[in-house]
Amino acid sequence: MFEITPLPAFKDNYIWLLTRGNDAYVVDPGDAAPVFAALEAAKLRLTGILITHHHADHQGGVAALVERYQPLVFAPASESITGCNRPLSGDETLDVLGVEVNVLAVPGHTLGHLAYRAPGVLFCGDTLFGAGCGRLFEGTPEQMTASLEAIAALPDDTLIFCAHEYTAMNLPFALAVEPENEEVQARKAAVTARRAAGLATVPLMLGEEKATNPFLRCDQPAVIAAARQHDPSLASTARGGERRAAVNPKKSQIFGAIRAWRNVF
Ligand code: ZN
Ligand code: FE
């Protein structure tokens, strides 16, 4: 397996540096400067780049890195990515530094969004965050629900390398959705202590996300009840005969209501 090192960038991004011997890959280099610094400090050669989606904070550094190193650039075929020479659409299997990596299509945050899975780890870009998930800039609640379900189906001990340090910011909302969830309460205290000590909360542990992340819990009674409170169209009883009640709302409807509430929280 390759080694994985975070390269903090901008205010709260993580660029993931993958190394094996003297060869390196980076995931989502939004900025070239921290990548150049890390490569030069350890005398590494950049042989590849993995891009999850087209936003500037994930691909802004690609042009400068391509000019210096001419790496393979794997990226969503359907999105506009500088220097992409290995277009992907999901379901491909890659060789990354001698490790088998599976490509997953996870539309929602953007339509072409990809995640990259290596043994025990997932690089998910802006799809899943600590106690939260990416905004739906391009996709639908149905698409994001399916993408999150695909991630949730991985083993609970999967380490999730997302692209932003958002966990502390997201936990107050998770607690608003499920005030009685003791695991969310405990996680909020633990994350507050970690951040106060200057420590990262990423990688995430998938099992912990499944226990505390409201966007992975849209089938839970407490989350369904919270969604119904914030979206009258999901109310469990018809009101005054004017609205037909959604007796059994779909998981994607619950997700959509919780995501819409998060946007204004
Ligand atoms: Zn993004
Ligand atoms: Fe981002």
Side-chain angles (χ1 to χ4, degrees):
M1 187 59 178
F2 41 68
E3 276 185 58
I4 306 171
T5 308
L7 306 177
F10 307 119
K11 187 165 145 274
D12 50 36
N13 280 72
Y14 291 120
I15 298 167
W16 298 105
L17 174 68
L18 320 181
T19 56
R20 199 174 200 188
N22 292 317
D23 290 335
Y25 267 58
V26 281
V27 183
D28 284 353
D31 186 5
V35 180
F36 281 135
L39 295 172
E40 283 160 18
K43 303 217 183 317
L44 298 167
R45 184 181 54 169
L46 187 73
T47 56
I49 296 174
L50 303 178
I51 299 289
T52 63
H53 67 292
H54 66 86
H55 289 158
D57 62 310
H58 299 254
Q59 66 152 327
V62 173
L65 293 168
V66 165
E67 192 180 339
R68 174 103 52 111
Y69 294 100
Q70 291 89 46
L72 302 175
V73 180
F74 296 93
S78 64
E79 298 193 352
S80 175
I81 312 286
T82 307
C84 173
N85 51 29
R86 293 293 184 278
L88 304 170
S89 55
D91 289 334
E92 293 91 349
T93 301
L94 315 178
D95 177 332
V96 172
L97 302 170
V99 175
E100 189 173 295
V101 167
N102 300 299
V103 183
L104 280 74
V106 287
H109 179 67
T110 66
L111 286 175
H113 202 302
L114 300 176
Y116 298 92
R117 181 164 74 95
V121 309
L122 182 76
F123 299 94
C124 71
D126 288 355
T127 300
L128 183 68
F129 294 126
C133 75
R135 276 177 190 264
L136 301 186
F137 283 118
E138 299 173 14
T140 63
E142 290 76 14
Q143 287 174 315
M144 191 61 142
T145 298
S147 295
L148 293 175
E149 280 179 346
I151 292 174
L154 299 174
D156 277 359
D157 61 356
T158 303
L159 294 173
I160 308 283
F161 293 79
C162 58
H164 291 273
E165 179 61 63
Y166 282 164
T167 317
M169 188 182 74
N170 284 334
L171 277 163
F173 178 74
L175 207 50
V177 177
E178 290 190 275
E180 311 291 318
N181 184 326
E182 289 176 9
E183 288 178 81
V184 177
Q185 296 165 8
R187 188 178 186 191
K188 187 163 180 288
V191 163
T192 300
R194 274 195 80 78
R195 296 303 292 153
L199 299 172
T201 68
V202 186
L204 317 166
M205 182 70 80
L206 181 57
E208 184 173 34
E209 293 308 318
K210 286 163 74 173
T212 59
N213 187 324
F215 298 103
L216 296 182
R217 297 174 57 75
C218 292
D219 55 353
Q220 297 295 309
V223 177
I224 293 169
R228 283 178 151 154
Q229 273 183 357
H230 285 266
D231 184 341
S233 74
L234 301 175
S236 55
T237 53
R239 285 177 194 157
E242 63 193 35
R243 194 187 291 279
R244 188 94 188 97
V247 177
N248 281 313
K250 285 188 280 186
K251 203 166 157 186
S252 59
Q253 291 178 286
I254 300 300
F255 173 86
I258 297 289
R259 184 60 252 185
W261 176 18
R262 177 69 181 91
N263 291 347
V264 297
F265 182 76

